[in-house]
C-alpha cells in the first residue's frame, strides 16, 4: 500500500478509525467516518492532533461545509471502480465548497482513474501496489493527456479556450 501525493510517495501519518473505535489518547492525526464526525463533532474538534473525515458512497459532502477549515484531509472511499460518486464528491468539495486541504482517493483506485480523479480535485491517491509501482502509475496517468474539452476545477485550459486564444492571436497579427 502506498500513498502518492505531489509526485512523491508519502508516509501514512493518519489513523483511520471506524465508528466504534476508541479515540487515541495522544495527539495522533485521525480520520473518522462522516457519521461519527457528525455525532461527536465537538469532542473531535476539541482534541489536539489533526482531524480528517472519510466520505463513503451515500454520504453528503455538503454536511462538511461549515467545518472544512477544521479538516486537514478528506478521504473519499471508492469501494469499487464502478462507483463514480466519489468524483462528484471531489468536485463539490473543491469547486463549490472551496476545500483546500488534502483530498485523498482510497479503496479501489485504479491507474486508469487517476487522471480523472485529479481533474476532479484529488491530490493524493492510496494504491495497493508498492511505493515504486504506485509512483510510476500516478506519474504515467497524469501525463496521459494534455488537452481537455471540458473545464474543471483543476485550472487546465480546454481545447475551446486554446482555439479562442489562437483565433485572437491570428486576428491581432493580421
Amino acid at each position: 500500500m502506498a500513498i502518492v501525493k505531489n509526485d512523491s510517495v508519502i508516509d501514512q501519518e493518519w489513523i483511520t478509525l471506524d465508528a466504534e473505535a476508541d479515540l487515541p489518547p495522544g495527539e495522533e492525526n485521525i480520520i473518522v467516518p462522516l457519521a461519527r464526525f457528525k455525532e461527536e463533532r465537538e469532542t473531535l474538534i476539541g482534541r489536539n492532533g489533526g482531524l480528517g473525515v472519510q466520505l463513503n458512497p451515500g454520504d453528503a459532502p455538503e454536511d462538511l461545509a461549515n467545518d472544512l477549515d477544521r479538516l486537514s484531509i478528506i478521504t473519499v472511499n471508492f469501494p469499487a471502480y464502478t462507483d463514480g460518486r466519489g468524483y462528484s464528491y471531489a468536485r463539490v468539495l473543491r469547486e463549490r465548497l472551496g476545500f483546500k486541504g488534502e483530498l485523498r482517493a482510497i479503496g479501489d483506485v485504479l491507474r486508469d482513474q487517476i487522471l480523472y480523479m485529479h481533474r476532479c480535485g484529488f491530490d493524493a491517491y492510496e494504491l495497493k501496489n508498492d511505493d515504486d509501482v504506485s509512483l510510476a502509475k500516478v506519474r504515467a496517468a497524469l501525463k496521459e493527456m494534455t488537452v481537455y474539452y471540458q473545464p474543471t476545477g483543476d485550472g487546465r485550459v480546454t481545447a475551446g479556450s486554446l482555439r479562442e486564444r489562437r483565433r485572437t492571436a491570428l486576428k491581432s497579427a493580421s
Side-chain angles (χ1 to χ4, degrees):
M1 187 84 60
I3 301 166
V4 178
K5 180 180 179 183
N6 297 330
D7 201 35
S8 300
V9 175
I10 62 172
D11 293 329
Q12 174 60 281
E13 298 176 346
W14 295 86
I15 300 168
T16 300
L17 303 175
D18 63 22
E20 298 175 10
D22 293 331
L23 289 177
E27 297 182 358
E28 291 87 357
N29 298 327
I30 61 168
I31 299 171
V32 297
L34 177 62
R36 183 170 183 174
F37 176 76
K38 289 164 54 175
E39 289 174 13
E40 301 176 30
R41 182 183 174 278
E42 296 305 320
T43 301
L44 293 168
I45 288 175
R47 56 181 300 281
N48 293 324
L51 178 61
V53 170
Q54 178 176 321
L55 294 176
N56 292 300
D59 288 342
E62 294 86 355
D63 289 350
L64 297 172
N66 295 327
D67 295 306
L68 290 176
D69 57 336
R70 294 180 172 99
L71 302 175
S72 301
I73 182 172
I74 297 175
T75 59
V76 178
N77 185 22
F78 289 82
Y81 76 92
T82 55
D83 191 329
R85 289 176 279 188
Y87 295 96
S88 300
Y89 293 177
R91 290 197 70 179
V92 167
L93 289 165
R94 292 288 194 212
E95 297 173 28
R96 193 178 311 158
L97 302 176
F99 179 63
K100 302 291 184 207
E102 180 178 323
L103 189 55
R104 183 183 300 175
I106 64 170
D108 196 14
V109 177
L110 304 177
R111 182 212 179 274
D112 293 346
Q113 299 171 298
I114 292 172
L115 178 61
Y116 303 109
M117 289 175 170
H118 182 75
R119 297 225 56 221
C120 291
F122 287 98
D123 59 353
Y125 314 91
E126 187 176 285
L127 296 150
K128 295 177 181 168
N129 307 102
D130 66 28
D131 294 355
D132 293 335
V133 172
S134 294
L135 182 58
K137 283 184 174 186
V138 171
R139 284 179 173 165
L142 295 179
K143 290 179 182 173
E144 203 162 69
M145 292 185 205
T146 57
V147 178
Y148 304 93
Y149 284 104
Q150 297 176 328
T152 64
D154 68 356
R156 294 185 190 197
V157 295
T158 62
S161 64
L162 290 172
R163 280 189 212 112
E164 184 60 33
R165 193 182 305 169
R166 185 176 180 188
R167 266 188 233 120
T168 303
L170 290 173
K171 280 183 183 178
S172 63
S174 58

